[in-house]
Amino acid sequence: GDSVTQMEGPVTLSEEAFLTINCTYTATGYPSLFWYVQYPGEGLQLLLKATKADDKGSNKGFEATYRKETTSFHLEKGSVQVSDSAVYFCALSDPSGGSNYKLTFGKGTLLTVNP
Amino acid sequence: DTEVTQTPKHLVMGMTNKKSLKCEQHMGHRAMYWYKQKAKKPPELMFVYSYEKLSINESVPSRFSPECPNSSLLNLHLHALQPEDSALYLCASSDQRNSPLHFGNGTRLTVT
């Protein structure tokens, strides 16, 4: 079945540091890939997405590139801010996996950015 | 502001109570979802409604009963819950298959 593996952290960085959160996936077909962010006390928000190989999703300074050859979708940001402190979830949607409505989530990575 | 509205934000209920969680979206999305999220874990899918019909039930215990009165509303009726059902319950919607989900901010449920 489909699966998503992401570094669990926690990750603690100083403001303006470079961020990478690794995410790799296993899927039977050609999935769409997503990063969601969950700020304390809130629901999940879509951060960025990519629907096919070599697509790059970007938003709010975050980027991730869909790499089919390495089955990866690593999240990066060049300079993090305190306000980026949150839990980040990598997820995939695989229409060939039997259900078009299921998202498969990674376990989440808690990011804390210190001033 | 989130475009998916959930009420109440917090709910404390006893094991013999009956309560309902409510979710509303006005984005015209035709798929709506209930997820359960325990602390420090990813959300777990419970139910999916597509065009107001139950499409997926992830073997959820019958003490959780979903209802979709119309395309904008989704309810989750709760009865005879257990303390282990305490969690954040998230509603989400999407406009088509494989589209990103839009989540509400959730209802924090505590069962005493």
Side-chain angles (χ1 to χ4, degrees):
Chain A
D2 298 340
S3 67
V4 174
T5 303
Q6 65 177 105
M7 55 188 289
E8 292 186 30
V11 175
T12 302
L13 297 173
S14 297
E15 206 164 24
E16 299 183 2
F18 184 84
L19 169 71
T20 299
I21 301 177
N22 290 337
C23 172
T24 58
Y25 67 89
T26 303
T28 54
Y30 299 94
S32 295
L33 301 174
F34 308 91
W35 277 100
Y36 284 86
V37 58
Q38 186 172 29
Y39 298 103
E42 297 185 9
L44 280 71
Q45 300 176 23
L46 177 68
L47 182 58
L48 52 84
K49 67 175 182 178
T51 58
K52 61 183 187 297
D54 300 325
D55 268 1
K56 177 187 278 189
S58 61
N59 185 25
K60 299 181 182 180
F62 291 90
E63 292 183 341
T65 301
Y66 189 142
R67 301 284 187 202
K68 188 168 182 289
E69 63 276 14
T70 54
T71 62
S72 65
F73 193 54
H74 304 321
L75 182 68
E76 296 183 337
K77 186 174 186 182
S79 176
V80 292
Q81 305 299 311
V82 172
S83 57
D84 294 326
S85 298
V87 179
Y88 292 81
F89 292 98
C90 185
L92 72 81
S93 174
D94 182 2
S96 64
S99 170
N100 289 335
Y101 293 107
K102 284 193 180 182
L103 271 184
T104 301
F105 284 97
K107 292 187 175 182
T109 301
L110 173 62
L111 170 66
T112 301
V113 180
N114 295 318
Chain B
D1 288 339
T2 181
E3 296 166 315
V4 177
T5 303
Q6 291 187 243
T7 56
K9 293 189 190 307
H10 301 276
L11 178 63
V12 179
M13 60 185 291
M15 289 188 284
T16 58
N17 291 159
K18 284 185 181 181
K19 295 287 185 183
S20 296
L21 309 184
K22 297 186 182 301
C23 174
E24 188 169 5
Q25 58 90 12
H26 293 289
M27 295 177 283
H29 290 173
R30 301 316 298 259
M32 296 187 75
Y33 309 71
W34 280 116
Y35 279 84
K36 173 183 178 180
Q37 187 180 26
K38 301 286 269 186
K40 301 186 179 181
K41 299 288 187 185
E44 298 172 22
L45 183 63
M46 300 175 72
F47 303 103
V48 180
Y49 274 82
S50 173
Y51 291 87
E52 301 160 47
K53 293 192 184 328
L54 186 63
S55 175
I56 295 176
N57 176 343
E58 290 288 276
S59 302
V60 178
S62 60
R63 57 186 184 268
F64 295 91
S65 176
E67 178 195 19
C68 189
N70 60 54
S71 60
S72 299
L73 294 175
L74 186 66
N75 299 322
L76 186 63
H77 302 298
L78 313 173
H79 174 55
L81 294 192
Q82 303 298 309
E84 59 265 28
D85 296 321
S86 298
L88 180 67
Y89 288 83
L90 294 165
C91 175
S93 68
S94 66
D95 63 353
Q96 58 185 324
R97 296 172 178 182
N98 296 317
S99 294
L101 269 57
H102 295 251
F103 284 86
N105 282 333
T107 294
R108 177 75 60 188
L109 175 67
T110 302
V111 182
T112 62

